[in-house]
């Protein structure tokens, strides 16, 4: 006797403990994905083979100079130049961005003049100027304009090549970062500033506690890119001249040993390693300031909710929707 659909449905209803038979869904074949992946893998293998089988690259020389003491010391100087210049640039960027939003026309015009000049001239020209400062002014003084001088010192004793390089890079970077900071501050809803002002907070407190923490989500990604760009811009400090950075040291060894390609590879490897570390740090900083905006959840958590808030909800000591009972 052939079972009818009604009898089959009744049998399934009588045996609820039996496992449900799911359909065996097969993924849609994507031959293009596998073909493109194979082509990329083959090209990558060919590139690696061409690099490591060519004796003209002199990989033994590359390994020797990669860990040479003067090269490693030059990496340290390059990192120091990068982070000090970025520190100066960030301070100047925040200051000029706030000045541009000021109601004082003098502050606005000063900030606009700073941006106009340092964004309009090449960084190499600025570094040459900072290096020639001691030739233009042998002595620098602090005092009253057209009046008595209170403090006088030699330019060469203060503006050493290292100081000139840091100032040149930092002041130039501040002009570019200023626009990034300004766009980040403008991304915050003005209503939050008005609400904070209505609560009695001062302008400084509003900037530090309300505006900047939210603007960092917009500021951090381009600032990370500018940091990586600054790392490679340090190769121009020869214009000061500052002769302890990575590019100058490797070029000096290349001129001395006539091994140009191996020394260029040494510099490139160090720049790639440092850039990779900076990219990882940028990723974690972006994730920190992007909490509540990226829509990601952790361990069943909710969007924009911290681990402490999620733990409170998991303890069931409070209601998830306290206004549900009174909401029509």
């Amino acid at each position: 006797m052939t079972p009818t659909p009604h009898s089959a449905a009744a049998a399934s209803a009588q045996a609820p403990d039996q496992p449900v038979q799911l359909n065996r869904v097969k993924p849609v074949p994507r031959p293009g994905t596998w073909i493109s992946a194979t082509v990329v893998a083959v090209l990558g293998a060919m590139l690696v083979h061409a690099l490591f089988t060519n004796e003209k690259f002199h990989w033994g020389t590359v390994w020797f100079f990669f860990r040479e003491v003067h090269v490693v010391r030059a990496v340290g100087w390059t990192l120091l130049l990068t982070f000090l210049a970025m520190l100066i640039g960030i301070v100047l960027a925040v200051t000029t961005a706030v000045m541009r939003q000021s109601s004082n026309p003098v502050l606005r015009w000063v900030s606009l003049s700073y941006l106009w000049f340092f964004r309009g001239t090449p960084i190499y020209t600025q570094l040459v100027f900072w290096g020639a400062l001691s030739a233009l002014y042998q002595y620098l003084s602090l005092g009253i304009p057209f009046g008595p001088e209170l403090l006088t010192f030699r330019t060469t004793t203060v503006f050493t090549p290292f100081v000139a390089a840091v100032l040149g890079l930092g002041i130039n970077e501040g002009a570019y970062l200023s626009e990034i900071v300004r766009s980040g501050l403008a991304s915050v809803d003005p209503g939050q500033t008005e609400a904070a002002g209505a609560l009695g907070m001062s302008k400084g407190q509003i900037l530090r506690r309300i505006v900047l923490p939210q603007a960092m989500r917009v500021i951090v990604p381009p600032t990370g890119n500018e940091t990586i760009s600054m790392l490679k811009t340090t190769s121009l400090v020869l214009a000061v001249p500052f002769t302890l950075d990575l590019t100058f040291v490797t070029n000096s060894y290349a001129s001395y040993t006539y091994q140009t390609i191996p020394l260029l590879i040494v510099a490139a490897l160090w720049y790639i390693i440092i850039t990779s570390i900076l990219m990882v740090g940028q990723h974690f900083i972006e994730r920190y300031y992007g909490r509540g905006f990226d829509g990601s959840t952790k361990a069943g958590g909710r969007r924009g909710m911290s681990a402490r808030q999620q733990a409170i909800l998991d303890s069931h000591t409070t209601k998830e929707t306290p206004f549900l009972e009174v909401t029509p």
Side-chain angles (χ1 to χ4, degrees):
M1 181 178 179
T2 304
T4 61
H6 297 285
S7 61
S12 62
Q14 293 176 359
D17 296 335
Q18 294 182 358
V20 179
Q21 298 293 332
L22 300 178
N23 296 329
R24 295 183 179 180
V25 181
K26 295 183 179 180
V28 178
R30 301 179 183 273
T33 303
W34 291 103
I35 293 174
S36 59
T38 303
V39 171
V40 171
V42 170
L43 292 177
M46 293 173 59
L47 176 61
V48 173
H49 179 268
L51 288 175
F52 288 97
T53 58
N54 192 343
E55 297 180 355
K56 295 182 180 180
F57 283 106
H58 299 285
W59 292 107
T61 304
V62 171
W63 172 244
F64 173 79
F65 282 102
F66 180 82
R67 52 194 175 88
E68 202 270 335
V69 60
H70 291 90
V71 174
V72 176
R73 189 176 302 162
V75 172
W77 281 108
T78 301
L79 289 174
L80 186 60
L81 281 172
T82 301
F83 289 112
L84 288 181
M86 287 302 299
L87 180 61
I88 295 175
I90 290 172
V91 172
L92 289 176
V94 175
T95 303
T96 52
V98 174
M99 289 171 61
R100 287 194 63 180
Q101 296 182 348
S102 174
S103 58
N104 190 331
V106 176
L107 296 180
R108 291 201 307 269
W109 279 105
V110 168
S111 62
L112 287 173
S113 301
Y114 164 72
L115 297 178
W116 166 76
F117 180 80
F118 286 99
R119 292 176 65 188
T121 54
I123 177 61
Y124 190 86
T125 304
Q126 297 175 28
L127 290 174
V128 171
F129 171 80
W130 286 105
L133 187 63
S134 59
L136 296 174
Y137 299 96
Q138 296 183 356
Y139 294 92
L140 296 176
S141 61
L142 297 176
I144 302 175
F146 306 102
E149 298 178 351
L150 303 179
L151 180 62
T152 303
F153 50 86
R154 290 186 62 88
T155 306
T156 54
T157 59
V158 177
F159 285 91
T160 61
F162 176 75
V163 174
V166 170
L167 287 178
L169 294 173
I171 294 176
N172 177 79
E173 186 63 30
Y176 289 92
L177 286 178
S178 178
E179 291 299 295
I180 296 174
V181 175
R182 185 179 65 85
S183 63
L185 297 179
S187 66
V188 181
D189 188 0
Q192 300 196 32
T193 303
E194 297 174 0
L199 293 175
M201 298 179 67
S202 64
K203 291 184 177 180
Q205 291 176 332
I206 295 173
L207 179 65
R208 295 192 309 270
R209 300 182 181 181
I210 306 299
V211 178
L212 270 180
Q214 299 181 72
M216 290 298 290
R217 180 178 62 92
V218 179
I219 295 173
V220 167
T223 302
N225 294 336
E226 288 293 325
T227 304
I228 294 173
S229 177
M230 174 60 68
L231 173 69
K232 292 171 284 188
T233 307
T234 55
S235 60
L236 299 177
V237 294
L238 174 63
V240 173
F242 183 75
T243 59
L244 297 178
D245 67 294
L246 179 59
T247 299
F248 184 87
V249 171
T250 53
N251 287 341
S252 299
Y253 276 127
S255 301
Y256 180 75
T257 60
Y258 299 101
Q259 298 288 337
T260 304
I261 299 300
L263 270 301
L264 288 177
I265 295 176
V266 169
L269 289 176
W270 272 115
Y271 281 121
I272 289 174
I273 292 173
I274 300 172
T275 301
S276 302
I277 296 174
L278 292 177
M279 291 176 63
V280 173
Q282 178 183 348
H283 167 73
F284 284 103
I285 295 175
E286 287 183 14
R287 191 173 68 175
Y288 175 79
Y289 285 105
R291 293 178 302 175
F293 295 94
D294 55 359
S296 61
T297 58
K298 293 183 179 180
R302 300 190 174 188
R303 178 178 177 180
M305 188 172 295
S306 64
R308 182 177 180 182
Q309 293 171 326
Q310 184 61 39
I312 293 174
L313 286 181
D314 292 341
S315 64
H316 302 290
T317 57
T318 59
K319 297 181 180 181
E320 297 186 6
T321 54
F323 299 104
L324 184 60
E325 299 177 356
V326 296
T327 302

